[in-house]
Amino acid sequence: MTVGVTTDGATPSTGRRTGRHWLRVRSAQRLTEDAVAIVLDVPPPLAGHFAHRPGQHVTVRHRIGGVELRRSYSVCPPPDDATALRLVVKRLGPGGFGEYATTALAAGDLLEVSPPAGDFRLAEEPGAHHVLVAGGSGITPLLAMAAAALRSDPACRVSLVYANRSAASVLLAEELAGLAQAHPDRFRVLHVLSRESGPAAPPLSGRIDAARVPVLLRLLGVEPEQRPCFYLCGPLGLVESVGRGLADWGAAEEQVRFELFAAAPAADPNARPAAPAGARISVRLYGRTTELTMEPEDETVLDTLLRALPETPYSCREGLCGVCRTKVVAGSVRLRRQYALSEKALAAGYTLPCSAVPESAEVGLDFDA
Ligand SMILES: Cc1cc2nc3c(=O)[nH]c(=O)nc-3n(C[C@H](O)[C@H](O)[C@H](O)COP(=O)(O)OP(=O)(O)OC[C@H]3O[C@@H](n4cnc5c(N)ncnc54)[C@H](O)[C@@H]3O)c2cc1C
Ligand code: FES
């Protein structure tokens, strides 16, 4: 195993960075009982490959019991080095990458990582008031975005509402406090703790529901006529509640951007439309075109692609991360559910194979477009 060796291709036509690399863990530092901060060493020849924008995420591949897991983690650089590839991984339950990272991973180990991807970012509006709402590990892209904005735009303001179960589970609390200390007039954090009462009376204790949103915004001095942009990140429940609260408060849809870290399982199995077996798929990937046919056991277009093209990019398989994004260049597909593509991307013909089933007998996809 060699650190930094490319193990698959690249798409020179689009600039989409592909390939995966073994990177050495420089440090693995416990943050809370169930979270760890991992800094990865990027060898100089790969520095361009792993350069990241605030809000982007990488895909980590890890094998447990012979089964490959692919998991997305947002890049959250430490305060003293905006270029560092630091991931903050929270353990959610037994058996996943989070458990491995928080119990076994150590400095010197190797991790297989794909380069940064994703389009979650702050609007480029100098002097804007950016309002962020994070739940749990959803702080990672938002902290990266907040720190970069405060550094690069001296006129901007950033307000953050950060929801956690308890004070002990707040991630990166010292770094958030440090940012507030460095920018006392421009950065404000409200911690909302769902399982703690006591000195933190409502609205700062209990769960954030839609009704609480206007109260929190008032505390932060955010008014509808300022037309701020909102950035939400965390699990589906939080993002949906806050989204509803913002709509009731008067925020227009285009003022709200979000990234989901976890979706609810599809409640109704019938909501999963049967994929039409026999549909023919022509796919251009890494400059090569391959013709495939959907088999009866394929639930999505991604299943068909992976049988012949194991290097097809994907991570979550739930329409969350956008890693599998590709363009439909012939025929049409229907998306089961998706949270990663904007209306603009959908209108431009982009789709997510992990969630797509063909609507036409022939479908053309172009990952390089
Ligand atoms: C774009 C993107 C960026 C992300 N960035 C980060 C990040 O910076 N840091 C981070 O920690 N995570 C992040 N995630 C989530 C991450 O990709 C994994 O989904 C998460 O770490 C769980 O993976 P796992 O392998 O540990 O657990 P899994 O293998 O998925 O599950 C292991 C166990 O945990 C339980 N479990 C899984 N999810 C939940 C849940 N939401 N609540 C309760 N129990 C659960 C399962 O039931 C199972 O028992 C991101 C996700 C996306 C889509
Ligand atoms: S693999 Fe994550 S959106 Fe398709």
Side-chain angles (χ1 to χ4, degrees), residues 57 71-74 88 90 92-94 96-98 137 140 260-261:
H57 49 86
R71 299 287 184 261
S72 301
Y73 293 101
S74 302
V88 172
K90 185 167 175 177
L92 296 173
F97 179 75
S137 55
T140 49
L260 280 184
F261 275 13

Side-chain angles (χ1 to χ4, degrees), residues 302 313-325 340 352-355:
L302 182 65
Y314 77 90
S315 178
C316 70
R317 301 189 86 151
E318 291 190 283
L320 301 175
C321 68
V323 168
C324 67
R325 173 185 146 129
L352 301 174
C354 71
S355 207

Side-chain angles (χ1 to χ4, degrees), residues 34-35 64 69 71 73 89-103 165:
D34 55 8
I64 294 182
L69 305 179
R71 299 287 184 261
Y73 293 101
V89 178
K90 185 167 175 177
R91 175 188 181 276
L92 296 173
F97 179 75
E99 174 158 274
Y100 168 75
T102 52
T103 57
R165 284 187 182 158

Side-chain angles (χ1 to χ4, degrees), residues 150 156-158 179-188:
L150 290 165
C156 79
R157 278 173 64 206
V158 180
L179 209 55
Q181 230 169 26
H183 306 281
D185 304 325
R186 299 200 294 129
F187 181 59
R188 177 127 191 246

Side-chain angles (χ1 to χ4, degrees), residues 36 40 66 187 195 200 205 215 339 366:
V36 63
L40 296 166
F187 181 59
R195 294 203 184 154
S205 71
V215 185
Y339 307 96
D366 189 349

